[in-house]
Each structure stands twice: as C-alpha cells, then as structure tokens.
Amino acid sequence: METTASPATPFYQAGNHDNLQRIDAIFFDLDNTLVPTRAVDERVCNEADECDQHSLKLLYDAIGFNFLNRLLKSTEVPQDCPPFIYKSIALSIVSCFCGVPEIVESDSILSIIPVLLDIVSTSDTEDMEDNLMLVSDCYTCIQAIAFFESGRKALLSQGCLLKLTEVYVEEMFRHDQALQLLVYISSKEGKHLWDGHEEPFKQLVKRLANDFNGDTTEKKFELCKMLAVFLSNGPRLPVVELQKEDWPQHTLLTLESILCSRIGTSQRDSALQLIARLLEIMGIGWGLKFGPNPRQFLLLLVNLACVEVRMKLEDRTLEQAIESADILVACYSVVELFITFMTSQGFLDFDAKQREQAYCALKGAVGSILAVLHQTDEEFSHEWTIPVTDRRTEFVCASIRILGSWLAEETSSMKEEVCAVLPFIITVCSRMYDERKLGTISDMPDPLRFMLPAFCHLAAEDAPRKIMLCQKLPQLLYDYLLYQWSIFSKWLALQPTVAADWLHVHTTPEEEDVAEANRPESESAIILVCGVFMNLAVLEPELVATDVVFAQLLKFCITNLQPLVHRQDFIVLLGNVAVLGLLLLRHHTWKYAQGDSAAFRYIQGTVSFLWDAHNSEESCDSLSLVISLRYKRDWPDLAELWFLGMQGLSNVMSKLDWIVEFIVDSGWPQEMMKSLSRIVAGAIDANTRTAYEDFLCCLLRAQPAKVRAVILENRGRHTCQEVYEVWKKLRYTYMTLDGPAANLLSALRKHNYTIGLITNGPSRSQWEKIAQIGAEDYFDSILLAKENEFYPPIDPPDDPDWKKDLVVSKFTKVCMVCGCLGTKLCGGCRNVNYCTKDHQVLHWKNGHKMLCKEPVRVEGEDSMFTLPEYEIIIEDEKIEDKASKLSSSDETELKEFEKILKAKNPTFQDDETITESLEESVADVQEDKMFLKFKEKIDSYPDQVLRYGKGETPLWVSDSNTPSSVPDCEYCGSERRFEFQIMPQMLNYLQLDSISQGGVDWGTLLIYANHIVDIKTSVLNVNGRPTLVTMDYIMNIPTMGIEHESFRLSYYPHRLDEFKGLLKEAFGEACKHTVFGDFKQLDEISDPAFYIHLVEKLPE
C-alpha cells in the first residue's frame, strides 16, 4: 500500500492545518527495500523541521502511537529484510517529533525507553553493525526525553545511568553521545544522582580522566569541563581510596602544565574549574605532594583565583558579576580552601615572603566580596526578597560562604567593612533559614551554617557583637539550634547503640572515612552555635540574666544533655552542651535553688563528662595521669572545653548547695585527692593540676564544714605541703618570653630603638622573673617601683603637720593596750577593742573604767603603746677628723654655754678653771674604754637608730656582758653572721626611754643572719662609663637543701641627659617633657633613687 500524499507538495507544511485535520490515517509502503525507505525517511525528517509544533502534533496523532509501537515490538520481518527494519522505521518517525514537548513527555513515548536503552547498550554486537543509524536515532530520542524532568526520572528508573556509563567505559558506538547525556543528567540531578552507584561512577571518572590526560587536541578542554561537572555532582568518595588511584595525580600535573602555559580565557576557566573541584575532594595538602615545585604552583593558583575574583567583582553590580558565576564559584572554592590551609602546619613551611604574598592576595579578594555585598545591600535597601531559586541568591550565598571562611580565621583586618555588611548578612541568613524550614526546595544553600565560625569570633569583639545583638541574632541562632537538633535527634534515634569497648575495635581508614561521612552536618552546626552562645554568655552577663532566649537555651541544655551522656561517640557535642549550660546556669541559679530532677540529671551528666576526661588506670605508668581513650582522639577540641567546664562548675556550685552535696557524695573530690597525692611531679600537666586544685578550693569555700573533712581524710594536708614545696622551686620554671615577642624586641634593638621595662610588682619576685625570661638581653633599661611593704611607693610631703590625725584605729580594729589586732570588744561601751582579756583588765584599771559609759569613744583615748612613726633616712657613714669635729654651730653653742656659766658663777673666770672643776667631780668614776669607743663612733651621727654592717664587727656599748662568741643557728647549724644593730637612740624616738615600771631599755640589739654568705658587686664599664651593674648573691639554706646557691640581680644605669635626649628624639619637639626624682621635683631632692619622665602632647 502507498501513501496518499505527494512528496512534491508536503501536506504537513505550515498553513495546511485543515488538510491535516481531514486525514484519518497515513499508510506506509513497506515493500520497498531499506535503502530507498531510509532516503525517503531522511527527506521527510529534513522537511519536518519546517513544521511548527502544532502541525507536528497533528501529524503524530494522525500516524498514531499504536502503529509505531507495533513496529518497535515486532520480531517478524519480511523475507530478505534486515532484522531491525521495523525498529529503524519507527525510531526514524519518532525522532522527527522529538522537538514537541507534549509528544516527548507523553506516556507513550516514555514507555519506549527500555527499547531505546536496549539498543544503545547493544550497539557493539554483530547484529547492529548494519543498523548504526538506528543507534543515532535512539540517542536523538533519549536526548529529547532527558531534556524534561519527567523524562529524566523515567530514564533513571529504567537504569539509564548504568547503561550509558557502560557504553562510555566500554567505548561502544556513539559513546561520546552517551558521555554528553551523562554530563547533562548529572548537572541537572545533582550529587544524589550517583548514590548507591559509587563503583560505576569511579570507573566513569577514571576513564574520562585518562582521556583528558591523554588528549592533545582541542577536545581536551571539552573533556576538562565534563570532568569538572562529574566531580562537582558525584558521590563523596573516600580520599584514602582515591589516593591509591593514578588519575588524580596525573590530572593535577596536566592541569599544572595547562595553567602554566599560554592559553585562552575560556581554556583557563575550564582548567580552573576542574582543579578547584579536584582540590575540594583531595585537599590542598595532597596537592603539595606532586610536581616539580608544588608550593610555587599553589601560590600561582591562589593568586590567579584572587585576581579573577577582583576582576569579576570590582566596580561591578550584582547582575554583572553573575554573568561570570561559573568561574567565580571555582575561584571561590580555591580561595576558601587556601584560607583553611593557612591555619595548618603546611602553610608555616612556606617562607615569610610567600606567606605574605598569599595573605595579601586573599585579603584583596575578600575585600572585593565585601564591596559587592555592600553595594547589593544598598541596592536592595537592606532587604533581601529575591526568590531562593534565583541565581542572584545563590551567588550572594556563595559570597557569604567565602566571607565566613575568612572571618573564621582572620577578624583583625577590614573591621569597618565587615561591620558595614554584617546586618545584610544576618538578614540574608534569616531569610534563607525561613525558606529552609519550609522544606520546599532541596539542596538549598545555608549561609547561616557558613557564618557560624565567623559569628564565634565576631561575638568576642565589641562592635560586631553589638550589631549582632541589634539584629536579634541570639533568637535566630536559638531557632536554628532547635531546627538542627530536631534533624540530629531523628538521625540519632535510628543509630545503634555504640558498645562500651568501641574504641578497642580495629577499623580501617576507609571505614573511618565512611563513618565520618555518614555523621550528619547538624552535629557540627550545633557545636558551632554553642560556641557563639558561650562567647555571649561570658561577655554579656546582664543580657544572659535578663533575656528570655538564654533562659530557654538553658532549659534546652538541661533537657537534651542526657541522651548524649550514654553515647560514646559524641563526646565533643556532649562537652559543648554541658559547658554552655554551666555558663548559663551561673546567671539563673535562683530558678534551680532546690534542684529538680532534670537539673539533677544535667549536673550528673556534666560531672561525668569532666570526671571521665582523665584517669591513671590506662597509663603505662600507674603514677601518671593521662587523657582517657574516649577523649584522646578529640582532645584538641575538648581541652579548652574541659578547663572552661571546671571553672564554670566551680562558679555554679558556690551558689547551689545541692550541687556541692552531689559532687561530694559522688566520690569525685576523693578521687581527685588520691590522684594528686599519688601522681609524681611532672607526670601531670601543670594546667590540669591547677584546675583540680582550684576546683577543690572552690568546693571548700562553698561548704567548708563538709568538704574540709573529705580533703583531710584523703591526704589533703600532705598534698598541700607537697604542692607548696614544688611551687617554691618551680614557680618560675615554665615562665618564658615567647618567640614572637622575643623576635619583636630583637628587631627593635637592631633598628636602634632603646627599649625600657617598667614594672611595679614586688621587687624580689619581679627581679626573679626578669632573670628567668632573660629580659636583660632585650631591654636597655629595667626600672622597678620603689617598694616597702609597710608604706606606699609615693613619699609623703615634707610637711610636719601632714596627717597628724592618722591613727591605726580608723582603718582596722586594734587592741587599745598593745596596738595588735583586736578581735574582742568591750561589752560596756562597745567602742574599744582588745586582743586578750588580760589587756582589757589592764586598760580598765588604767582609766577606761571612768570612760566606759560614754556613748561614743572619747577623743584622744588611743592605744597605750602605739608608737610614733618616722621616716628612716639611709646614709653612708663618714668619720670626721677629731680636729674638725666641732662645726660652726657647735662652736657657737659652746660659747653661749660658757657665757651662761660665767654669769651664774663669777669664780669661773677661764676654761682651765672650768675644766679642772669638772675633772675633779668625775675623778672617782672608772673609765669604760668600750663606751668611749662607742660614743666616739656615733658622735658624727648621734641620731642614728640603725647601723647596717653585714659581716662586720658589731659596735658594743659596754665591755660588760659582752658575749665571747655567737652560737650557730639552732635550725640549720650554720654560722651566724652579723647583719645590723638597733641603737639605743631608738628608745628616745619611740618614747620608750622611761625607766619606770614597764619601761624598755637596751644598750644595743644585734641581728644576725646565716643565709646570705656573700654579695659580689661588679660594674661593666664601656668606654670609661658604667653600662651594667651586677650583684651576685651567695646563699646557704640547709633546711631546703640549698648550699652556696647564687642568684643575680642586674640593672643598666642611664645618665639623665642621655635618656632625655632619647625621649626627645622619639617624641619630637611638640611635647612637654618634665622630670621628677623619687616622685618629687628635681629641685627638691639632690640624689634621687630613680627618675620619672612625664611626656605630654602639646595642644595644636
């Protein structure tokens, strides 16, 4: 049978709709041979392109699918015809209608997918050698079907993915078309396409990578794009397995050669996209293992990516930037990877110039991102209402992701720019989170998740934190925490319980990678949110105590901690929730004063987390405290949490008694005491020991009566003594000047800067610290404050009436009799204190009886034995000649005395008469040579109260009762050495020279010491001027096992004029420079101990 239409005038031409509508059926003459049939079919197909979709639909309906379906399924063909003649005709006709969506998406066309896939997957069989056009028609149909979402779903349901992969891997006929179909479907369906098909995917990528590495034509860059698509949308493969393959390494080297060559922009963009995807999978560290100069190439790649970002973003709008979205996304990936790499040890292996170059490049790229975000913020009036599926939203989210990565590592630069765009970022995060909760779109970007590490750091700075609070970020984070927790808890409920010995089960690296990949992303999101809230809890205590969000957050921690306690494999999440709860509970203790069951279980879980972190049973040395196996793997993330938790628990238990009772009853303090007493010094981390000791001290302060007994029962006294002895020996052992500080000081010295160190701590300990850190090697001058433990460092004014009303009783309760601390109060007037009952009786008998009934304390009724205060001036002793002992004032006084004598007794006419009379009156007194020597020695300074003469012979007041020898020290047995003596003139100044009952008298008081053996002083002179003064102390302390131990004190003397010149050079002429000596004006003191330089900036 023949068709009724004439080929010369095609009835399906546009405009012949009426003729087409009158056709009831079309008949085909199948008696002709295949060749002429194909020729006619081809002509018909070419002319069919001239039809519009409506005409093609009418023509398809006229032909009818039933006819085509019979042709496809028919297995009997006319004699002498090829076996696939009917299928060939049917597919030729179907391919003519593939441009009509209504036809392609119909159930009838979708039902022939199995036939199409069967033909392409058998294209290399002998039966198909003469039917290659049939295979091409199949691909035409499959491509048309894959264009529509419903068509792709139908193809995937029929196993299209595996069959097309097999076609390409086995290099069957038209395998290039199979590859193009796979690329298209992968780009549309996303990463979940290959779930469950990891092995075929690895075969596909390996084959494609080998083709890319081996190709030397322009097709190489087409393969480059395709490989990038597969790596972007493929399943997550274990890195350990990929490292065993050859193709990743060869691909990296191929890309290195491409990027280091002269290539066009499009070719460079393709290479950048592929290498970004490859490094995303394998990591920057892996990339440093291959190539002739991997560091240099990595820097080249980072600079190239940063330059591309700046060129595509600077001075451009958001619309213009999106035009280059594909290459920008690839560059973003490289930038993000390198930002993360900057925090690793591998980056420190780069030299300083390379590190600076990379940092500057990254900073420039991030600056461009900040600029485009700021411009977008202003363009959209600080709001973001663009649809989630819009490319602009995707690009903004990608930019926020890079910014979050940068801020997670670097918050010191571009602070103003960051603060300017922070409200817009929070707005976008909030909008995207609201859309995510609806769950209408899968694979939606989550900018809030990307910004969480940055929020952790920004919350620690004042300006960004204020912005975050104004934008109500705590409420957003709390809602986000609940959302992520719901996802995590559902996942956790489906997981099997981990056995207690799970750490001892041997697992391969591949199994560990798979297990890590299967953990939900919500776990890390919850941990990061906890980190943000911890910073807010520490820095915003008033907000935490008053804002309802934090009260709800505390309730969340108390409620949800318990499910994590019994999970052995979520210890980091457990620690974050537990410690966050402690920080919040500190401000809400009034709500839990009685301790409900939920709060009790929470504290129980928290104590369990802190207690289980250390033990001594698992150590090879039973006397060592080690990290528990359960904590060891994650200890870098847990260490800071543990110390913060110990501190937080200490703060909480001081306000909640029931927590102290629980801790004591749990046996944890007892275990601590046993560990501290059993473990040898050095076998426990110093910070850990300090944390334990501080915790026990807080526990003791919270409930002294109950805890003291527990500590003493568990060797507490012995342990404290051991700690004290160790502290005395090791308190400065670990003190050091760290590398960066030492390098900075050395650099300043090299550039001729003069550096001084001023400290106002206790001089002895400060000098010990200075010697320990070697500060003398870095500072030109070291100045310590003048120190006296009884008086302030500033001298009182030289005024005899200064603070005459200053009495001790105004500042503390002292005994009215002796001036010591008086803890007992007079029961009558309740205005006078005593140290003992005996002194109260004594005071009563000496006048208080008459004054006791006075309503207020009588003015002037002060302590009976409080002593006057004086300033002691230290001077070197200078012995004058006898001939010049009398000063001019002394001579004047002597002449006045002679006049008085002559006036009262005229018989005394001259000096000789006076002398003779005096000698006669004392002739019967035996001369005491020792006293005369004493008097002669102190004649030059009769007011002296102390004489310091280390190692010298003391000055005895009389030769009677003088000891023949000084006994050795009764404690250490060493020889006593004279140190100083207190002179009898002290009695006069302290008004104790009365010889009445109760008075005090002495000729001299001698003080001996036996520890400091010798002091050697040396002065280093350079060019005839003193440069360094050093004092070496030699000490003996047998009770501490110290024999002839030495320590050194050094200082650098500076001349006043030189130092004034240095300050003038440093601050310039536009400054007012004032010099003080010992806190006084220079004209008020002749020889100050130290100078103070005040430099003031003059007003402009």
Side-chain angles (χ1 to χ4, degrees):
M1 302 182 65
E2 298 179 356
T3 61
T4 58
S6 170
T9 358
F11 58 84
Y12 50 78
Q13 197 171 18
N16 293 334
H17 293 171
D18 296 337
N19 295 332
L20 291 171
Q21 290 175 352
R22 291 195 294 270
I23 297 175
D24 295 326
I26 297 178
F27 301 95
F28 291 88
D29 181 7
L30 301 180
D31 294 337
N32 296 321
T33 61
L34 176 62
V35 174
T37 301
R38 292 298 307 172
V40 172
D41 292 341
E42 186 175 351
R43 181 171 56 82
V44 171
C45 290
N46 292 333
E47 293 176 351
D49 293 337
E50 302 175 8
C51 294
D52 58 17
Q53 292 187 3
H54 182 66
S55 300
L56 290 173
K57 179 64 171 62
L58 293 175
L59 184 58
Y60 175 78
D61 292 341
I63 296 174
F65 177 73
N66 290 335
F67 168 69
L68 299 174
N69 193 33
R70 290 204 317 271
L71 291 177
L72 287 171
K73 295 182 178 180
S74 176
T75 57
E76 297 181 1
V77 297
Q79 191 176 359
D80 298 331
C81 287
F84 296 98
I85 181 62
Y86 290 158
K87 287 183 174 64
S88 178
I89 294 172
L91 291 177
S92 296
I93 297 172
V94 172
S95 63
C96 295
F97 301 101
C98 287
V100 183
E102 188 177 353
I103 298 175
V104 176
E105 289 188 282
S106 64
D107 293 338
S108 56
I109 295 299
L110 296 181
S111 65
I112 68 172
I113 288 178
V115 179
L116 301 177
L117 295 176
D118 184 61
I119 293 174
V120 298
S121 61
T122 59
S123 59
D124 267 10
T125 61
E126 295 181 0
D127 294 339
M128 299 297 295
E129 290 181 357
D130 297 328
N131 298 277
L132 300 182
M133 291 298 295
L134 175 64
V135 178
S136 299
D137 289 336
C138 284
Y139 279 114
T140 302
C141 296
I142 295 174
Q143 288 171 352
I145 294 172
F147 183 78
F148 303 99
E149 184 177 358
S150 59
R152 291 193 295 272
K153 291 182 178 179
L155 286 169
L156 294 174
S157 65
Q158 296 297 326
C160 136
L161 204 61
L162 299 182
K163 291 183 179 181
L164 292 178
T165 300
E166 182 183 6
V167 170
Y168 177 70
V169 173
E170 299 297 332
E171 295 189 76
M172 297 182 186
F173 179 68
R174 295 286 186 173
H175 64 275
D176 53 337
Q177 288 186 301
L179 178 62
Q180 292 175 356
L181 274 169
L182 289 170
V183 170
Y184 181 78
I185 295 173
S186 295
S187 63
K188 293 296 182 181
E189 295 300 313
K191 295 184 177 181
H192 299 294
L193 172 66
W194 293 92
D195 289 348
H197 305 297
E198 288 78 8
E199 195 61 34
F201 178 79
K202 288 193 292 184
Q203 296 176 3
L204 171 65
V205 172
K206 181 178 181 180
R207 176 67 192 179
L208 180 57
N210 291 335
D211 290 345
F212 164 70
N213 295 326
D215 198 289
T216 57
T217 65
E218 287 295 323
K219 184 182 177 182
K220 187 184 196 73
F221 297 98
E222 293 296 326
L223 297 175
C224 181
K225 293 179 181 179
M226 294 180 180
L227 186 55
V229 171
F230 284 122
L231 294 181
S232 300
N233 298 281
R236 182 173 180 177
L237 300 176
V239 178
V240 178
E241 293 184 7
L242 291 177
Q243 289 176 347
K244 298 177 182 178
E245 301 282 349
D246 293 332
W247 68 265
Q249 174 186 347
H250 295 159
T251 303
L252 177 66
L253 296 177
T254 302
L255 291 170
E256 180 178 351
S257 64
I258 291 175
L259 291 172
C260 294
S261 305
R262 291 186 176 182
I263 52 177
T265 303
S266 61
Q267 296 170 335
R268 182 194 59 202
D269 291 350
S270 300
L272 273 175
Q273 293 177 39
L274 178 55
I275 198 170
R277 303 298 176 259
L278 185 62
L279 292 178
E280 276 183 1
I281 297 172
M282 306 300 295
I284 292 283
W286 169 84
L288 290 171
K289 299 178 181 179
F290 309 106
N293 194 344
R295 293 180 189 171
Q296 194 64 34
F297 171 67
L298 186 58
L299 288 174
L300 169 67
L301 176 63
V302 172
N303 278 279
L304 182 60
C306 293
V307 169
E308 284 292 326
V309 170
R310 297 183 65 176
M311 291 178 61
K312 297 294 191 296
L313 294 183
E314 287 182 351
D315 301 326
R316 295 197 179 189
T317 63
L318 180 62
E319 299 288 348
Q320 294 171 333
I322 289 178
E323 296 175 359
S324 307
D326 293 337
I327 183 60
L328 275 175
V329 170
C331 293
Y332 276 7
S333 298
V334 175
V335 170
E336 182 180 7
L337 287 170
F338 201 84
I339 290 174
T340 306
F341 175 71
M342 286 173 61
T343 61
S344 66
Q345 181 63 36
F347 184 66
L348 298 179
D349 295 335
F350 287 61
D351 59 45
K353 185 177 181 181
Q354 291 175 328
R355 294 197 298 269
E356 181 180 2
Q357 180 184 1
Y359 176 82
C360 293
L362 292 170
K363 184 178 178 181
V366 174
S368 301
I369 294 174
L370 284 169
V372 76
L373 287 176
H374 183 67
Q375 183 181 2
T376 303
D377 180 26
E378 295 181 346
E379 180 182 350
F380 289 91
S381 303
H382 313 294
E383 296 290 339
W384 189 255
T385 57
I386 304 300
V388 176
T389 56
D390 193 288
R391 294 196 71 189
R392 290 174 293 179
T393 299
E394 295 178 356
F395 180 78
V396 168
C397 291
S399 300
I400 291 176
R401 175 171 180 166
I402 300 302
L403 183 59
S405 177
W406 170 264
L407 293 176
E409 311 298 342
E410 173 60 68
T411 58
S412 59
S413 62
M414 300 181 288
K415 291 184 178 180
E416 295 182 0
E417 293 84 349
V418 171
C419 290
V421 301
L422 191 55
F424 175 69
I425 292 173
I426 296 176
T427 300
V428 175
C429 291
S430 179
R431 164 73 194 291
M432 296 301 295
Y433 168 64
D434 291 338
E435 294 289 342
R436 174 174 284 271
K437 285 192 299 184
L438 299 176
T440 55
I441 303 175
S442 60
D443 294 333
M444 183 187 301
D446 188 2
L448 182 55
R449 169 68 179 82
F450 304 145
M451 284 296 297
L452 288 178
F455 286 149
C456 286
H457 292 276
L458 294 174
E461 300 185 14
D462 293 339
R465 187 172 65 256
K466 291 180 180 178
I467 296 174
M468 292 159 62
L469 296 178
C470 291
Q471 295 294 319
K472 298 181 179 179
L473 183 65
Q475 181 65 58
L476 174 62
L477 291 178
Y478 176 69
D479 294 340
Y480 187 74
L481 176 66
L482 296 181
Y483 169 74
Q484 294 290 353
W485 183 263
S486 64
I487 298 175
F488 174 77
S489 58
K490 291 177 182 178
W491 176 86
L492 187 64
L494 301 175
Q495 304 306 308
T497 303
V498 179
D501 60 344
W502 69 285
L503 285 170
H504 301 282
V505 178
H506 177 72
T507 57
T508 62
E510 293 82 356
E511 292 173 340
E512 292 180 358
D513 288 343
V514 172
E516 191 67 26
N518 291 332
R519 295 171 78 101
E521 293 184 359
S522 55
E523 178 190 1
S524 58
I526 295 170
I527 292 173
L528 290 171
V529 173
C530 290
V532 180
F533 278 122
M534 285 182 200
N535 283 339
L536 294 177
V538 172
L539 298 172
E540 296 290 340
E542 295 182 2
L543 180 69
V544 173
T546 57
D547 197 323
V548 66
V549 172
F550 292 93
Q552 295 171 343
L553 182 62
L554 174 58
K555 187 175 181 180
F556 166 85
C557 295
I558 291 176
T559 306
N560 295 288
L561 180 70
Q562 196 61 27
L564 299 173
V565 174
H566 302 293
R567 296 290 308 197
Q568 305 289 326
D569 47 347
F570 292 98
I571 189 65
V572 178
L573 181 57
L574 169 65
N576 276 272
V577 176
V579 175
L580 175 60
L582 289 175
L583 297 178
L584 299 176
L585 183 59
R586 178 184 181 184
H587 303 283
H588 296 268
T589 52
W590 58 275
K591 296 180 181 179
Y592 301 93
Q594 302 302 322
D596 56 19
S597 58
F600 182 84
R601 288 194 299 270
Y602 164 75
I603 292 297
Q604 186 180 30
T606 302
V607 169
S608 175
F609 164 73
L610 298 173
W611 189 348
D612 294 343
H614 300 88
N615 60 64
S616 56
E617 286 77 17
E618 298 179 18
S619 172
C620 297
D621 183 357
S622 60
L623 299 180
S624 298
L625 192 72
V626 297
I627 307 299
S628 302
L629 285 178
R630 180 187 176 193
Y631 292 68
K632 192 170 185 178
R633 184 180 63 181
D634 299 312
W635 190 246
D637 299 323
L638 289 171
E640 187 175 354
L641 277 176
W642 187 83
F643 287 107
L644 187 59
M646 293 290 288
Q647 183 180 357
L649 186 58
S650 300
N651 294 330
V652 168
M653 65 186 182
S654 62
K655 301 178 181 180
L656 297 175
D657 294 338
W658 62 268
I659 294 182
V660 179
E661 294 176 359
F662 168 77
I663 292 175
V664 173
D665 294 341
S666 69
W668 189 24
Q670 296 86 328
E671 187 66 27
M672 277 190 203
M673 295 304 305
K674 291 178 182 178
S675 298
L676 291 175
S677 61
R678 184 173 64 243
I679 296 170
V680 297
I684 178 175
D685 177 67
N687 294 328
T688 304
R689 177 184 286 274
T690 302
Y692 277 151
E693 292 166 354
D694 291 344
F695 179 82
L696 290 172
C697 291
C698 293
L699 194 68
L700 181 62
R701 284 193 293 266
Q703 286 195 14
K706 185 171 185 177
V707 179
R708 183 182 293 110
V710 174
I711 293 179
L712 295 179
E713 289 173 2
N714 292 272
R715 301 188 67 198
R717 185 181 291 107
H718 174 70
T719 300
C720 293
Q721 182 63 29
E722 287 183 343
V723 171
Y724 175 68
E725 294 298 332
V726 173
W727 175 81
K728 286 198 299 184
K729 293 182 179 180
L730 303 179
R731 54 181 171 167
Y732 301 139
T733 301
Y734 301 104
M735 181 177 292
T736 181
L737 196 64
D738 61 358
N743 294 337
L744 175 62
L745 293 174
S746 299
L748 291 174
R749 293 286 298 276
K750 289 181 180 178
H751 288 79
N752 298 322
Y753 282 91
T754 302
I755 309 173
L757 173 64
I758 302 177
T759 174
N760 61 350
S763 61
R764 178 177 178 180
S765 62
Q766 294 299 84
W767 277 119
E768 291 174 352
K769 295 174 185 177
I770 289 169
Q772 174 65 31
I773 66 175
E776 299 169 352
D777 299 331
Y778 298 97
F779 293 96
D780 298 285
S781 179
I782 299 177
L783 179 63
L784 271 68
K786 186 170 75 173
E787 179 192 343
N788 187 312
E789 60 180 312
F790 302 104
Y791 295 95
I794 302 177
D795 292 334
D798 192 10
D799 183 1
D801 296 326
W802 181 73
K803 289 191 176 181
K804 276 191 172 182
D805 60 339
L806 188 63
V807 292
V808 179
S809 56
K810 288 185 177 182
F811 305 97
T812 186
K813 298 176 181 179
V814 296
C815 176
M816 181 58 66
V817 177
C818 66
C820 297
L821 181 64
T823 58
K824 302 182 183 301
L825 190 64
C826 175
C829 63
R830 305 192 67 83
N831 290 323
V832 183
N833 293 83
Y834 304 99
C835 62
T836 63
K837 186 176 181 180
D838 294 337
H839 282 194
Q840 183 179 7
V841 173
L842 179 63
H843 190 217
W844 181 267
K845 294 179 179 180
N846 283 273
H848 184 62
K849 179 179 180 180
M850 305 300 298
L851 303 173
C852 183
K853 300 303 179 181
E854 295 293 334
V856 295
R857 181 171 177 173
V858 177
E859 184 177 359
E861 187 188 16
D862 292 324
S863 172
M864 299 168 62
F865 291 105
T866 51
L867 304 176
E869 297 180 0
Y870 299 91
E871 177 187 3
I872 297 179
I873 299 175
I874 302 175
E875 296 179 328
D876 292 332
E877 187 177 44
K878 298 178 181 178
I879 305 300
E880 298 180 357
D881 296 336
K882 293 182 179 181
S884 60
K885 279 186 179 180
L886 293 179
S887 62
S888 59
S889 59
D890 293 335
E891 293 176 353
T892 302
E893 291 178 359
L894 182 59
K895 290 180 181 179
E896 291 292 334
F897 179 68
E898 292 177 357
K899 291 180 181 179
I900 293 173
L901 290 178
K902 292 178 181 180
K904 290 185 177 181
N905 189 356
T907 59
F908 293 151
Q909 299 297 322
D910 51 25
D911 294 343
E912 294 180 359
T913 307
I914 297 174
T915 303
E916 292 175 357
S917 300
L918 291 176
E919 289 178 352
E920 291 175 358
S921 64
V922 296
D924 58 339
V925 179
Q926 183 180 0
E927 184 178 14
D928 191 337
K929 295 183 180 180
M930 187 71 72
F931 176 74
L932 292 177
K933 182 179 179 182
F934 175 85
K935 184 174 180 301
E936 181 182 353
K937 190 74 172 176
I938 66 172
D939 243 3
S940 300
Y941 301 92
D943 294 335
Q944 60 182 287
V945 293
L946 293 175
R947 287 184 62 85
Y948 187 85
K950 181 175 179 61
E952 298 178 359
T953 302
L955 185 61
W956 298 100
V957 71
S958 173
D959 55 4
S960 61
N961 298 323
T962 302
S964 58
S965 63
V966 178
D968 294 337
C969 177
E970 65 268 26
Y971 297 103
C972 64
S974 59
E975 179 186 358
R976 283 189 170 96
R977 296 169 60 85
F978 174 72
E979 190 82 12
F980 66 94
Q981 66 185 94
I982 302 176
M983 308 299 289
Q985 183 66 13
M986 178 78 79
L987 296 170
N988 180 39
Y989 283 111
L990 298 182
Q991 301 174 10
L992 297 176
D993 53 348
S994 172
I995 59 174
S996 61
Q997 182 180 3
V1000 181
D1001 190 21
W1002 68 74
T1004 181
L1005 295 179
L1006 306 181
I1007 287 81
Y1008 285 77
N1010 65 318
H1011 292 327
I1012 299 180
V1013 178
D1014 193 11
I1015 303 177
K1016 298 179 179 179
T1017 304
S1018 60
V1019 179
L1020 176 63
N1021 291 282
V1022 178
N1023 296 328
R1025 298 172 57 184
T1027 305
L1028 177 66
V1029 179
T1030 303
M1031 292 178 288
D1032 292 305
Y1033 286 74
I1034 311 299
M1035 300 183 65
N1036 281 341
I1037 310 179
T1039 55
M1040 297 182 61
I1042 298 175
E1043 184 175 356
H1044 285 277
E1045 182 171 323
S1046 63
F1047 66 93
R1048 171 174 294 181
L1049 300 180
S1050 302
Y1051 64 90
Y1052 295 91
H1054 271 287
R1055 296 184 183 274
L1056 180 61
D1057 293 338
E1058 292 179 354
F1059 195 72
K1060 289 170 63 177
L1062 290 172
L1063 293 179
K1064 183 178 180 181
E1065 181 182 351
F1067 292 98
E1069 298 290 344
C1071 290
K1072 179 183 177 182
H1073 184 193
T1074 309
V1075 183
F1076 298 89
D1078 292 349
F1079 297 95
K1080 297 180 181 179
Q1081 298 289 341
L1082 285 182
D1083 55 1
E1084 299 179 11
I1085 185 168
S1086 59
D1087 188 17
F1090 61 89
Y1091 295 96
I1092 299 174
H1093 297 260
L1094 176 62
V1095 181
E1096 301 175 87
K1097 182 179 180 181
L1098 297 177
E1100 297 179 357

